[in-house]
Amino acid sequence: PHADDEKDSPPKRLWYIATITHLCQLTPTVTGITIDVANRPMLTSDQGASWQPVNPSKAFAFLPGQWVDFYIPAIKKVGGYSIVSLPSHLPRLELAVKRSRHPPADWVTSKAKVGDSVKVRVGGEFVYSTSSGDEGRQIVDGGACMVPAPDSKGLLFVAGGVGINPLYGMIRQLHYDYAKAQSTTQGPKAILLYSASKADELLFEPELTDMAKEFPNNFHMVYHVTKDDEKGSEEDSSATYRRGRIASGEIGEALQWAASPIGDGKAMIPISSIYICGPTGFAEEMSEACQEHGVPRSAIHFEQWW
């Protein structure tokens, strides 16, 4: 949960009314939830006792990788969940919520119904964007977010468990950019190392593998399963399945793949950014492994969830 989850009332800043339009089971423990966000921003009092419309209204906006605070009127605690859809999908917004005893997550995964009303608010600076804006900064919901330069050529994503959520949003944006460019031989080039305890907990596995199949020169997948004999779907050239935790040597292999030339190119591609998200200690461990292979700390971006 994000820091605001421990508060007993929704904090100030802009909140938007949203309606649940779809619920589905993504894995045995993760529920997919789709909401329709109305461009009707509101401000709340400190105790959440009153909500005042903002006039003139401001359109809801976010960058890939950001999350939303998720306020359920009947529950005091506030949830925080990464957005897995694209900005171009608005007003539709997609989230993936793991089952837990935390009241908002319990509500989403066991009690929520299509038609229920909630409120959401954008947050986070763990983002990916192909536009540099003002010196690499973009403004979302009144706050400035640092974004990588648009000339990014070599990208590494490392996910543990539901830490895949913000990275999936970023990778979907990359895929959208590949398709828009209508090229299979131009960058950026990216690879994802994704670890889950069981094969059936590999969130978005079919979608990620399909992206790698469509643009094999640009995007590659390596799945890890740590506590299960099953390795996942049938292997193919677009994705690799391994057992056990992600090791430093595999970080090195991934960096080499991301830096290798595309097509007939001969020049090595610089690694510009690494994005990491996962459980406690995971981000630090993966960050240290990347630095062991010569990646500067300034190129490593990570977000911890719990």
Side-chain angles (χ1 to χ4, degrees):
H2 298 288
D4 284 335
D5 295 356
E6 301 308 315
K7 298 182 179 180
D8 288 333
S9 63
K12 289 184 176 180
R13 282 202 291 136
L14 292 183
W15 290 80
Y16 290 78
I17 297 172
T19 303
I20 297 176
T21 59
H22 183 68
L23 292 158
C24 64
Q25 204 65 33
L26 297 175
T27 77
T29 64
V30 177
T31 297
I33 176 171
T34 302
I35 59 178
D36 190 86
V37 182
N39 285 323
R40 293 162 54 193
M42 309 185 82
L43 286 172
T44 178
S45 64
D46 286 331
Q47 300 304 315
S50 63
W51 297 81
Q52 300 297 325
V54 175
N55 196 11
S57 63
K58 179 182 178 182
F60 183 90
F62 71 95
L63 294 172
Q66 287 193 295
W67 41 262
V68 289
D69 282 324
F70 193 90
Y71 176 64
I72 303 153
I75 297 176
K76 290 184 177 180
K77 295 290 184 181
V78 178
Y81 309 116
S82 287
I83 303 167
V84 299
S85 51
L86 297 180
S88 59
H89 294 163
L90 286 172
R92 187 180 84 245
L93 198 71
E94 297 172 6
L95 311 170
V97 181
K98 188 175 180 65
R99 183 175 64 230
S100 79
R101 290 178 292 179
H102 191 254
D106 178 65
W107 183 86
V108 169
T109 57
S110 65
K111 301 178 180 67
K113 305 183 302 297
V114 170
D116 284 343
S117 179
V118 297
K119 293 183 178 71
V120 292
R121 181 190 68 167
V122 172
E125 296 187 6
F126 182 66
V127 299
Y128 171 80
S129 174
T130 53
S131 176
S132 61
D134 181 12
E135 296 182 354
R137 301 178 75 86
Q138 289 194 7
I139 306 300
V140 174
D141 194 19
C145 295
M146 291 302 299
V147 299
D151 60 351
S152 297
K153 294 299 181 183
L155 303 171
L156 170 61
F157 299 91
V158 187
V162 290
I164 186 62
N165 286 349
L167 305 186
Y168 182 58
M170 297 178 187
I171 291 168
R172 289 183 83 176
Q173 182 64 55
L174 270 172
H175 179 262
Y176 175 85
D177 294 340
Y178 294 155
K180 188 175 180 179
Q182 296 183 336
S183 173
T184 60
T185 59
Q186 296 180 2
K189 193 173 184 184
I191 182 169
L192 169 65
L193 306 183
Y194 177 19
S195 174
S197 60
K198 297 182 178 181
D200 61 6
E201 290 293 345
L202 287 167
L203 264 172
F204 312 117
E205 178 192 12
E207 294 86 351
L208 288 163
T209 301
D210 283 346
M211 292 181 201
K213 287 179 179 178
E214 187 174 357
F215 297 102
N217 292 319
N218 301 81
F219 181 52
H220 185 63
M221 285 291 319
V222 180
Y223 298 106
H224 278 253
V225 178
T226 61
K227 298 179 181 179
D228 196 345
D229 290 337
E230 296 295 327
K231 295 199 302 182
S233 303
E234 183 179 350
E235 296 187 35
D236 58 51
S237 60
S238 301
T240 302
Y241 293 85
R242 294 173 177 170
R243 293 189 180 96
R245 295 167 59 85
I246 299 170
S248 176
E250 289 163 303
I251 292 285
E253 292 175 7
L255 290 170
Q256 185 175 15
W257 188 92
S260 61
I262 298 177
D264 297 327
K266 297 181 180 180
M268 296 298 285
I269 300 168
I271 299 296
S272 59
S273 295
I274 295 174
Y275 296 90
I276 307 171
C277 189
T280 301
F282 180 86
E284 290 91 341
E285 181 183 347
M286 296 295 100
S287 175
E288 289 172 3
C290 291
Q291 292 175 73
E292 289 173 3
H293 291 280
V295 178
R297 177 62 186 83
S298 59
I300 302 170
H301 316 279
F302 59 83
E303 182 170 69
Q304 291 176 300
W305 277 81
W306 63 103

